[in-house]
Amino acid sequence: MCIRDRYQRRVHGINQNKKMVSHCNTSYEGPIENGWYQGHGRFKYANGVIYDGEFDKGEFHGKGTLIYPNGGKYEAVWERGIMKGGKYIFFDDLEYKDEGWSYCTSKDRRFYTEVKKGLRPDGKTLITNDINGPKTIPEGTYDVGDGYYDPIKEKIFDYNGEFNRELEAEEKEWIINKCRYNPSTEQAKKMTGDNDHIIKKMIELNSQKQIQSPHLFIPHISLSLIHI
């Protein structure tokens, strides 16, 4: 919060009624007492994050929720501006857990949308946790859920191309390993599957069997894995 805003927050808004104040690209809507934000109010930061909850003498104090532009929210308990505990809930109501996290693991690979609404019919399988399908992102970038990561600029952008946020230090490796990648046209042309170790093994087995028999050998593959 900028210095001017901290000053304005303390000395202005003399009337005791609920009102809207705005400065330094931030805004506040709620009660003001003796120049302080007091009681239940709503404060919006310049980056679009909103705090909706209790204030005491201008500080987050009591129950309050941080609401992020991507729809996620952090419900917490605050004491003099310091968060004492809480939980993060994703835009689709999935609650994050530090321990025992079982979402989208090898035991159950369903997206949360599929957990809530059931699996999609054959041919309409989701490739992202969005019933409307994946967002359009530029070539050579990664879909990170609240926008896309540009590995050249090393920044996160909104889906409309506007700057979203800086990349956090621990994010880069996770994004590259886990997030959907949209290859460039040249990269897509090279992605023929020739370097896939499973395809190589199948070709090798077929070649070996053809030496022994004129009939083409096809390794056993579970029909449940094949889309016809």
Side-chain angles (χ1 to χ4, degrees):
M1 189 176 298
C2 69
I3 295 175
R4 177 171 174 268
D5 180 60
R6 293 174 67 91
Y7 172 75
Q8 294 269 15
R9 164 172 96 163
R10 174 65 184 88
V11 301
H12 292 285
I14 301 299
N15 76 50
Q16 310 299 303
N17 299 320
K18 190 170 185 179
K19 63 177 292 185
M20 169 72 81
V21 293
S22 178
H23 19 244
C24 294
N25 296 318
T26 66
S27 63
Y28 169 77
E29 183 176 9
I32 296 177
E33 295 181 9
N34 300 317
W36 296 107
Y37 300 165
Q38 188 70 28
H40 188 97
R42 190 176 177 89
F43 184 90
K44 184 175 182 179
Y45 289 92
N47 63 0
V49 176
I50 296 172
Y51 171 81
D52 189 327
E54 300 298 320
F55 288 85
D56 186 57
K57 292 185 177 180
E59 296 180 312
F60 299 170
H61 190 74
K63 293 183 178 180
T65 302
L66 289 174
I67 305 170
Y68 298 90
N70 66 355
K73 58 186 178 181
Y74 202 99
E75 299 177 347
V77 175
W78 307 78
E79 185 176 320
R80 294 294 167 213
I82 299 175
M83 185 174 62
K84 292 299 183 179
K87 59 183 179 181
Y88 183 80
I89 301 174
F90 292 92
F91 72 94
D92 55 3
D93 296 327
L94 173 66
E95 181 180 331
Y96 175 75
K97 296 180 180 179
D98 289 329
E99 298 180 358
W101 180 253
S102 59
Y103 172 62
C104 217
T105 61
S106 58
K107 294 182 179 180
D108 186 350
R109 302 188 66 84
R110 291 177 299 169
F111 290 115
Y112 195 60
T113 297
E114 296 172 316
V115 173
K116 292 197 303 181
K117 299 182 178 181
L119 293 172
R120 303 273 285 169
D122 187 32
K124 295 185 178 181
T125 304
L126 297 181
I127 62 173
T128 66
N129 189 35
D130 189 337
I131 200 73
N132 297 314
K135 298 285 194 305
T136 300
I137 59 175
E139 293 184 352
T141 64
Y142 297 81
D143 187 351
V144 298
D146 62 340
Y148 62 87
Y149 166 59
D150 187 325
I152 296 178
K153 298 179 180 178
E154 295 201 330
K155 297 180 186 297
I156 306 293
F157 295 88
D158 289 331
Y159 291 114
N160 62 10
E162 298 292 328
F163 173 74
N164 182 316
R165 57 186 172 83
E166 295 289 344
L167 181 73
E168 296 181 14
E170 65 276 11
E171 278 189 297
K172 184 175 181 179
E173 183 177 354
W174 189 91
I175 288 173
I176 292 175
N177 290 330
K178 304 290 186 181
C179 292
R180 178 176 68 92
Y181 178 67
N182 183 26
S184 66
T185 303
E186 290 302 315
Q187 288 175 319
K189 290 179 180 178
K190 298 177 182 179
M191 296 174 70
T192 61
D194 294 341
N195 294 322
D196 188 285
H197 70 281
I198 295 178
I199 293 177
K200 283 185 175 182
K201 186 64 177 178
M202 291 178 67
I203 293 174
E204 180 183 342
L205 290 172
N206 282 331
S207 298
Q208 292 175 355
K209 191 63 178 178
Q210 283 181 323
I211 295 175
Q212 303 170 10
S213 169
H215 299 292
L216 178 65
F217 169 71
I218 301 178
H220 171 72
I221 300 176
S222 172
L223 292 179
S224 64
L225 300 178
I226 300 178
H227 294 283
I228 300 175

